[in-house]
PDB file of all heavy atoms in Angstrom:
ATOM      1  N   ALA A  40     107.266  74.015 120.727  1.00 42.00           N
ATOM      2  CA  ALA A  40     107.435  74.935 119.534  1.00 42.00           C
ATOM      3  C   ALA A  40     107.152  76.275 119.986  1.00 42.00           C
ATOM      4  O   ALA A  40     106.270  76.488 120.777  1.00 42.00           O
ATOM      5  CB  ALA A  40     106.496  74.411 118.436  1.00 42.00           C
ATOM      6  N   GLY A  41     107.928  77.251 119.420  1.00 43.00           N
ATOM      7  CA  GLY A  41     107.679  78.657 119.655  1.00 43.00           C
ATOM      8  C   GLY A  41     107.827  79.353 118.354  1.00 43.00           C
ATOM      9  O   GLY A  41     108.404  78.957 117.477  1.00 43.00           O
ATOM     10  N   VAL A  42     107.397  80.682 118.405  1.00 47.00           N
ATOM     11  CA  VAL A  42     107.476  81.441 117.175  1.00 47.00           C
ATOM     12  C   VAL A  42     108.088  82.800 117.408  1.00 47.00           C
ATOM     13  O   VAL A  42     107.735  83.486 118.309  1.00 47.00           O
ATOM     14  CB  VAL A  42     106.112  81.631 116.471  1.00 47.00           C
ATOM     15  CG1 VAL A  42     106.198  82.505 115.329  1.00 47.00           C
ATOM     16  CG2 VAL A  42     105.543  80.248 116.116  1.00 47.00           C
ATOM     17  N   GLU A  43     108.983  83.192 116.588  1.00 53.00           N
ATOM     18  CA  GLU A  43     109.646  84.415 116.487  1.00 53.00           C
ATOM     19  C   GLU A  43     109.615  84.782 115.038  1.00 53.00           C
ATOM     20  O   GLU A  43     109.905  83.859 114.206  1.00 53.00           O
ATOM     21  CB  GLU A  43     111.076  84.417 117.024  1.00 53.00           C
ATOM     22  CG  GLU A  43     111.926  85.457 116.713  1.00 53.00           C
ATOM     23  CD  GLU A  43     113.459  85.028 116.647  1.00 53.00           C
ATOM     24  OE1 GLU A  43     113.785  84.162 117.503  1.00 53.00           O
ATOM     25  OE2 GLU A  43     114.168  85.460 115.802  1.00 53.00           O
ATOM     26  N   GLN A  44     109.152  85.877 114.618  1.00 63.00           N
ATOM     27  CA  GLN A  44     109.103  86.149 113.115  1.00 63.00           C
ATOM     28  C   GLN A  44     109.767  87.560 112.859  1.00 63.00           C
ATOM     29  O   GLN A  44     109.575  88.481 113.633  1.00 63.00           O
ATOM     30  CB  GLN A  44     107.744  86.068 112.584  1.00 63.00           C
ATOM     31  CG  GLN A  44     106.590  86.700 113.444  1.00 63.00           C
ATOM     32  CD  GLN A  44     105.273  86.247 112.938  1.00 63.00           C
ATOM     33  OE1 GLN A  44     105.022  85.075 112.780  1.00 63.00           O
ATOM     34  NE2 GLN A  44     104.423  87.147 112.786  1.00 63.00           N
ATOM     35  N   ARG A  45     110.430  87.544 111.753  1.00 66.00           N
ATOM     36  CA  ARG A  45     111.055  88.820 111.247  1.00 66.00           C
ATOM     37  C   ARG A  45     110.411  89.289 109.980  1.00 66.00           C
ATOM     38  O   ARG A  45     110.280  88.524 109.003  1.00 66.00           O
ATOM     39  CB  ARG A  45     112.599  88.560 110.989  1.00 66.00           C
ATOM     40  CG  ARG A  45     113.381  88.197 112.127  1.00 66.00           C
ATOM     41  CD  ARG A  45     114.893  88.226 111.786  1.00 66.00           C
ATOM     42  NE  ARG A  45     115.233  87.708 110.526  1.00 66.00           N
ATOM     43  CZ  ARG A  45     115.752  86.484 110.330  1.00 66.00           C
ATOM     44  NH1 ARG A  45     115.941  85.745 111.346  1.00 66.00           N
ATOM     45  NH2 ARG A  45     116.132  86.153 109.120  1.00 66.00           N
ATOM     46  N   LEU A  46     109.997  90.549 110.033  1.00 65.00           N
ATOM     47  CA  LEU A  46     109.448  91.142 108.775  1.00 65.00           C
ATOM     48  C   LEU A  46     110.508  91.540 107.848  1.00 65.00           C
ATOM     49  O   LEU A  46     111.526  92.124 108.332  1.00 65.00           O
ATOM     50  CB  LEU A  46     108.628  92.374 109.116  1.00 65.00           C
ATOM     51  CG  LEU A  46     108.213  93.234 107.894  1.00 65.00           C
ATOM     52  CD1 LEU A  46     107.283  92.585 107.007  1.00 65.00           C
ATOM     53  CD2 LEU A  46     107.562  94.488 108.454  1.00 65.00           C
ATOM     54  N   ILE A  47     110.485  91.249 106.633  1.00 62.00           N
ATOM     55  CA  ILE A  47     111.472  91.654 105.619  1.00 62.00           C
ATOM     56  C   ILE A  47     110.778  92.637 104.781  1.00 62.00           C
ATOM     57  O   ILE A  47     109.839  92.261 103.933  1.00 62.00           O
ATOM     58  CB  ILE A  47     112.017  90.468 104.851  1.00 62.00           C
ATOM     59  CG1 ILE A  47     112.510  89.456 105.801  1.00 62.00           C
ATOM     60  CG2 ILE A  47     113.000  90.922 103.812  1.00 62.00           C
ATOM     61  CD1 ILE A  47     112.792  88.087 105.123  1.00 62.00           C
ATOM     62  N   LEU A  48     111.172  93.894 104.697  1.00 58.00           N
ATOM     63  CA  LEU A  48     110.589  94.910 103.784  1.00 58.00           C
ATOM     64  C   LEU A  48     111.467  94.808 102.490  1.00 58.00           C
ATOM     65  O   LEU A  48     112.619  94.986 102.529  1.00 58.00           O
ATOM     66  CB  LEU A  48     110.698  96.302 104.441  1.00 58.00           C
ATOM     67  CG  LEU A  48     109.896  96.496 105.659  1.00 58.00           C
ATOM     68  CD1 LEU A  48     110.061  97.856 106.256  1.00 58.00           C
ATOM     69  CD2 LEU A  48     108.361  96.253 105.463  1.00 58.00           C
ATOM     70  N   PRO A  49     110.704  94.597 101.393  1.00 59.00           N
ATOM     71  CA  PRO A  49     111.446  94.357 100.084  1.00 59.00           C
ATOM     72  C   PRO A  49     112.274  95.579  99.734  1.00 59.00           C
ATOM     73  O   PRO A  49     111.798  96.744  99.740  1.00 59.00           O
ATOM     74  CB  PRO A  49     110.346  94.193  99.104  1.00 59.00           C
ATOM     75  CG  PRO A  49     109.196  93.720  99.846  1.00 59.00           C
ATOM     76  CD  PRO A  49     109.327  94.459 101.231  1.00 59.00           C
ATOM     77  N   GLU A  50     113.513  95.288  99.339  1.00 60.00           N
ATOM     78  CA  GLU A  50     114.379  96.419  98.875  1.00 60.00           C
ATOM     79  C   GLU A  50     114.041  96.716  97.445  1.00 60.00           C
ATOM     80  O   GLU A  50     113.797  95.790  96.663  1.00 60.00           O
ATOM     81  CB  GLU A  50     115.875  95.955  99.022  1.00 60.00           C
ATOM     82  CG  GLU A  50     116.850  97.094  98.824  1.00 60.00           C
ATOM     83  CD  GLU A  50     118.274  96.642  99.143  1.00 60.00           C
ATOM     84  OE1 GLU A  50     118.470  96.435 100.369  1.00 60.00           O
ATOM     85  OE2 GLU A  50     119.084  96.503  98.202  1.00 60.00           O
ATOM     86  N   GLY A  51     114.184  97.917  97.122  1.00 55.00           N
ATOM     87  CA  GLY A  51     113.974  98.326  95.630  1.00 55.00           C
ATOM     88  C   GLY A  51     112.522  98.436  95.339  1.00 55.00           C
ATOM     89  O   GLY A  51     112.113  98.618  94.149  1.00 55.00           O
ATOM     90  N   ALA A  52     111.565  98.302  96.276  1.00 57.00           N
ATOM     91  CA  ALA A  52     110.155  98.417  96.013  1.00 57.00           C
ATOM     92  C   ALA A  52     109.765  99.898  95.738  1.00 57.00           C
ATOM     93  O   ALA A  52     110.534 100.761  96.124  1.00 57.00           O
ATOM     94  CB  ALA A  52     109.381  97.884  97.204  1.00 57.00           C
ATOM     95  N   ALA A  53     108.651 100.018  95.205  1.00 56.00           N
ATOM     96  CA  ALA A  53     108.149 101.412  94.998  1.00 56.00           C
ATOM     97  C   ALA A  53     108.082 102.215  96.281  1.00 56.00           C
ATOM     98  O   ALA A  53     107.802 101.652  97.277  1.00 56.00           O
ATOM     99  CB  ALA A  53     106.853 101.370  94.270  1.00 56.00           C
ATOM    100  N   ARG A  54     108.216 103.467  96.125  1.00 67.00           N
ATOM    101  CA  ARG A  54     108.167 104.379  97.308  1.00 67.00           C
ATOM    102  C   ARG A  54     106.911 105.339  97.057  1.00 67.00           C
ATOM    103  O   ARG A  54     106.755 105.748  95.977  1.00 67.00           O
ATOM    104  CB  ARG A  54     109.417 105.231  97.558  1.00 67.00           C
ATOM    105  CG  ARG A  54     110.621 104.374  97.923  1.00 67.00           C
ATOM    106  CD  ARG A  54     111.813 105.278  98.077  1.00 67.00           C
ATOM    107  NE  ARG A  54     112.906 104.496  98.563  1.00 67.00           N
ATOM    108  CZ  ARG A  54     113.341 104.466  99.830  1.00 67.00           C
ATOM    109  NH1 ARG A  54     112.640 105.170 100.680  1.00 67.00           N
ATOM    110  NH2 ARG A  54     114.397 103.781 100.137  1.00 67.00           N
ATOM    111  N   TYR A  55     106.287 105.631  98.170  1.00 70.00           N
ATOM    112  CA  TYR A  55     105.248 106.560  98.160  1.00 70.00           C
ATOM    113  C   TYR A  55     105.495 107.786  99.003  1.00 70.00           C
ATOM    114  O   TYR A  55     105.656 107.526 100.217  1.00 70.00           O
ATOM    115  CB  TYR A  55     103.921 105.910  98.565  1.00 70.00           C
ATOM    116  CG  TYR A  55     103.546 104.602  97.854  1.00 70.00           C
ATOM    117  CD1 TYR A  55     103.758 103.374  98.484  1.00 70.00           C
ATOM    118  CD2 TYR A  55     103.101 104.585  96.581  1.00 70.00           C
ATOM    119  CE1 TYR A  55     103.614 102.204  97.855  1.00 70.00           C
ATOM    120  CE2 TYR A  55     102.889 103.433  95.980  1.00 70.00           C
ATOM    121  CZ  TYR A  55     103.126 102.171  96.548  1.00 70.00           C
ATOM    122  OH  TYR A  55     102.873 101.017  95.989  1.00 70.00           O
ATOM    123  N   GLU A  56     105.607 108.877  98.504  1.00 77.00           N
ATOM    124  CA  GLU A  56     105.900 110.085  99.286  1.00 77.00           C
ATOM    125  C   GLU A  56     104.584 110.577  99.847  1.00 77.00           C
ATOM    126  O   GLU A  56     103.603 110.756  99.038  1.00 77.00           O
ATOM    127  CB  GLU A  56     106.592 111.175  98.452  1.00 77.00           C
ATOM    128  CG  GLU A  56     108.046 110.741  98.020  1.00 77.00           C
ATOM    129  CD  GLU A  56     109.058 110.521  99.199  1.00 77.00           C
ATOM    130  OE1 GLU A  56     108.829 111.253 100.228  1.00 77.00           O
ATOM    131  OE2 GLU A  56     109.895 109.809  98.998  1.00 77.00           O
ATOM    132  N   MET A  57     104.445 110.802 101.039  1.00 82.00           N
ATOM    133  CA  MET A  57     103.159 111.184 101.653  1.00 82.00           C
ATOM    134  C   MET A  57     103.100 112.732 101.725  1.00 82.00           C
ATOM    135  O   MET A  57     104.143 113.347 102.000  1.00 82.00           O
ATOM    136  CB  MET A  57     102.946 110.601 103.016  1.00 82.00           C
ATOM    137  CG  MET A  57     102.731 109.145 103.009  1.00 82.00           C
ATOM    138  SD  MET A  57     102.244 108.355 104.513  1.00 82.00           S
ATOM    139  CE  MET A  57     102.896 109.435 105.781  1.00 82.00           C
ATOM    140  N   GLN A  58     101.947 113.216 101.621  1.00 87.00           N
ATOM    141  CA  GLN A  58     101.749 114.661 101.793  1.00 87.00           C
ATOM    142  C   GLN A  58     101.604 114.919 103.257  1.00 87.00           C
ATOM    143  O   GLN A  58     101.249 113.999 104.098  1.00 87.00           O
ATOM    144  CB  GLN A  58     100.481 115.207 101.018  1.00 87.00           C
ATOM    145  CG  GLN A  58     100.557 114.878  99.493  1.00 87.00           C
ATOM    146  CD  GLN A  58     101.755 115.595  98.878  1.00 87.00           C
ATOM    147  OE1 GLN A  58     101.949 116.773  99.110  1.00 87.00           O
ATOM    148  NE2 GLN A  58     102.472 114.903  98.084  1.00 87.00           N
ATOM    149  N   ALA A  59     101.813 116.176 103.738  1.00 90.00           N
ATOM    150  CA  ALA A  59     101.726 116.543 105.077  1.00 90.00           C
ATOM    151  C   ALA A  59     100.290 116.151 105.782  1.00 90.00           C
ATOM    152  O   ALA A  59     100.195 116.011 106.965  1.00 90.00           O
ATOM    153  CB  ALA A  59     102.021 117.918 105.346  1.00 90.00           C
ATOM    154  N   HIS A  60      99.283 116.193 104.968  1.00 91.00           N
ATOM    155  CA  HIS A  60      97.896 115.964 105.450  1.00 91.00           C
ATOM    156  C   HIS A  60      97.572 114.463 105.408  1.00 91.00           C
ATOM    157  O   HIS A  60      96.372 114.126 105.722  1.00 91.00           O
ATOM    158  CB  HIS A  60      96.899 116.823 104.633  1.00 91.00           C
ATOM    159  CG  HIS A  60      96.711 116.252 103.276  1.00 91.00           C
ATOM    160  ND1 HIS A  60      97.603 116.555 102.259  1.00 91.00           N
ATOM    161  CD2 HIS A  60      95.756 115.417 102.681  1.00 91.00           C
ATOM    162  CE1 HIS A  60      97.248 115.954 101.132  1.00 91.00           C
ATOM    163  NE2 HIS A  60      96.122 115.279 101.383  1.00 91.00           N
ATOM    164  N   GLN A  61      98.458 113.644 105.025  1.00 91.00           N
ATOM    165  CA  GLN A  61      98.227 112.141 104.963  1.00 91.00           C
ATOM    166  C   GLN A  61      98.926 111.457 106.086  1.00 91.00           C
ATOM    167  O   GLN A  61      99.891 111.869 106.705  1.00 91.00           O
ATOM    168  CB  GLN A  61      98.739 111.628 103.595  1.00 91.00           C
ATOM    169  CG  GLN A  61      98.033 112.204 102.434  1.00 91.00           C
ATOM    170  CD  GLN A  61      98.632 111.594 101.114  1.00 91.00           C
ATOM    171  OE1 GLN A  61      99.854 111.460 101.023  1.00 91.00           O
ATOM    172  NE2 GLN A  61      97.746 111.289 100.233  1.00 91.00           N
ATOM    173  N   ALA A  62      98.409 110.181 106.362  1.00 91.00           N
ATOM    174  CA  ALA A  62      98.971 109.224 107.273  1.00 91.00           C
ATOM    175  C   ALA A  62      98.960 107.876 106.633  1.00 91.00           C
ATOM    176  O   ALA A  62      98.099 107.643 105.805  1.00 91.00           O
ATOM    177  CB  ALA A  62      98.224 109.248 108.587  1.00 91.00           C
ATOM    178  N   PHE A  63      99.894 106.970 107.076  1.00 91.00           N
ATOM    179  CA  PHE A  63      99.848 105.675 106.470  1.00 91.00           C
ATOM    180  C   PHE A  63      99.702 104.712 107.652  1.00 91.00           C
ATOM    181  O   PHE A  63     100.262 104.779 108.686  1.00 91.00           O
ATOM    182  CB  PHE A  63     101.266 105.408 105.773  1.00 91.00           C
ATOM    183  CG  PHE A  63     101.336 104.013 105.270  1.00 91.00           C
ATOM    184  CD1 PHE A  63     100.647 103.632 104.090  1.00 91.00           C
ATOM    185  CD2 PHE A  63     102.084 103.034 105.971  1.00 91.00           C
ATOM    186  CE1 PHE A  63     100.748 102.337 103.577  1.00 91.00           C
ATOM    187  CE2 PHE A  63     102.167 101.759 105.377  1.00 91.00           C
ATOM    188  CZ  PHE A  63     101.471 101.464 104.300  1.00 91.00           C
ATOM    189  N   VAL A  64      98.910 103.744 107.408  1.00 89.00           N
ATOM    190  CA  VAL A  64      98.676 102.606 108.362  1.00 89.00           C
ATOM    191  C   VAL A  64      99.196 101.445 107.844  1.00 89.00           C
ATOM    192  O   VAL A  64      98.916 100.927 106.702  1.00 89.00           O
ATOM    193  CB  VAL A  64      97.067 102.420 108.546  1.00 89.00           C
ATOM    194  CG1 VAL A  64      96.782 101.293 109.475  1.00 89.00           C
ATOM    195  CG2 VAL A  64      96.407 103.704 108.998  1.00 89.00           C
ATOM    196  N   TYR A  65     100.137 100.726 108.650  1.00 89.00           N
ATOM    197  CA  TYR A  65     100.769  99.583 108.197  1.00 89.00           C
ATOM    198  C   TYR A  65      99.778  98.309 108.286  1.00 89.00           C
ATOM    199  O   TYR A  65      98.848  98.404 109.084  1.00 89.00           O
ATOM    200  CB  TYR A  65     101.987  99.249 109.108  1.00 89.00           C
ATOM    201  CG  TYR A  65     103.116 100.217 108.937  1.00 89.00           C
ATOM    202  CD1 TYR A  65     103.301 101.385 109.604  1.00 89.00           C
ATOM    203  CD2 TYR A  65     104.106  99.924 107.964  1.00 89.00           C
ATOM    204  CE1 TYR A  65     104.256 102.173 109.404  1.00 89.00           C
ATOM    205  CE2 TYR A  65     105.129 100.757 107.744  1.00 89.00           C
ATOM    206  CZ  TYR A  65     105.247 101.872 108.472  1.00 89.00           C
ATOM    207  OH  TYR A  65     106.260 102.830 108.225  1.00 89.00           O
ATOM    208  N   PRO A  66      99.997  97.335 107.501  1.00 91.00           N
ATOM    209  CA  PRO A  66      99.034  96.146 107.610  1.00 91.00           C
ATOM    210  C   PRO A  66      99.300  95.567 108.975  1.00 91.00           C
ATOM    211  O   PRO A  66     100.394  95.461 109.507  1.00 91.00           O
ATOM    212  CB  PRO A  66      99.540  95.289 106.550  1.00 91.00           C
ATOM    213  CG  PRO A  66     100.906  95.723 106.093  1.00 91.00           C
ATOM    214  CD  PRO A  66     101.026  97.175 106.446  1.00 91.00           C
ATOM    215  N   ALA A  67      98.081  95.218 109.630  1.00 91.00           N
ATOM    216  CA  ALA A  67      98.191  94.660 110.989  1.00 91.00           C
ATOM    217  C   ALA A  67      97.723  93.177 110.852  1.00 91.00           C
ATOM    218  O   ALA A  67      96.684  92.844 110.338  1.00 91.00           O
ATOM    219  CB  ALA A  67      97.253  95.412 111.910  1.00 91.00           C
ATOM    220  N   PRO A  68      98.580  92.265 111.404  1.00 92.00           N
ATOM    221  CA  PRO A  68      98.195  90.829 111.347  1.00 92.00           C
ATOM    222  C   PRO A  68      96.884  90.543 112.126  1.00 92.00           C
ATOM    223  O   PRO A  68      96.704  91.043 113.212  1.00 92.00           O
ATOM    224  CB  PRO A  68      99.358  90.150 111.951  1.00 92.00           C
ATOM    225  CG  PRO A  68     100.343  91.162 112.378  1.00 92.00           C
ATOM    226  CD  PRO A  68      99.792  92.504 112.057  1.00 92.00           C
ATOM    227  N   LEU A  69      96.161  89.706 111.572  1.00 93.00           N
ATOM    228  CA  LEU A  69      94.858  89.179 112.233  1.00 93.00           C
ATOM    229  C   LEU A  69      94.967  87.655 112.323  1.00 93.00           C
ATOM    230  O   LEU A  69      94.882  87.029 111.314  1.00 93.00           O
ATOM    231  CB  LEU A  69      93.639  89.636 111.501  1.00 93.00           C
ATOM    232  CG  LEU A  69      93.437  91.062 111.203  1.00 93.00           C
ATOM    233  CD1 LEU A  69      92.291  91.368 110.173  1.00 93.00           C
ATOM    234  CD2 LEU A  69      93.165  91.834 112.489  1.00 93.00           C
ATOM    235  N   LYS A  70      95.089  87.065 113.506  1.00 82.00           N
ATOM    236  CA  LYS A  70      95.023  85.650 113.680  1.00 82.00           C
ATOM    237  C   LYS A  70      96.003  84.896 112.645  1.00 82.00           C
ATOM    238  O   LYS A  70      95.652  84.083 111.989  1.00 82.00           O
ATOM    239  CB  LYS A  70      93.587  85.044 113.500  1.00 82.00           C
ATOM    240  CG  LYS A  70      92.659  85.678 114.569  1.00 82.00           C
ATOM    241  CD  LYS A  70      91.294  85.132 114.353  1.00 82.00           C
ATOM    242  CE  LYS A  70      90.357  85.738 115.352  1.00 82.00           C
ATOM    243  NZ  LYS A  70      88.963  85.288 115.179  1.00 82.00           N
TER     244      LYS A  70
END
Side-chain angles (χ1 to χ4, degrees):
V42 175
E43 160 204 327
Q44 44 194 48
R45 293 190 322 258
L46 166 67
I47 303 169
L48 297 174
E50 189 171 292
R54 293 178 175 262
Y55 308 105
E56 296 294 331
M57 293 190 332
Q58 302 299 312
H60 70 280
Q61 295 177 318
F63 180 75
V64 177
Y65 288 92
L69 302 171
K70 299 181 184 176

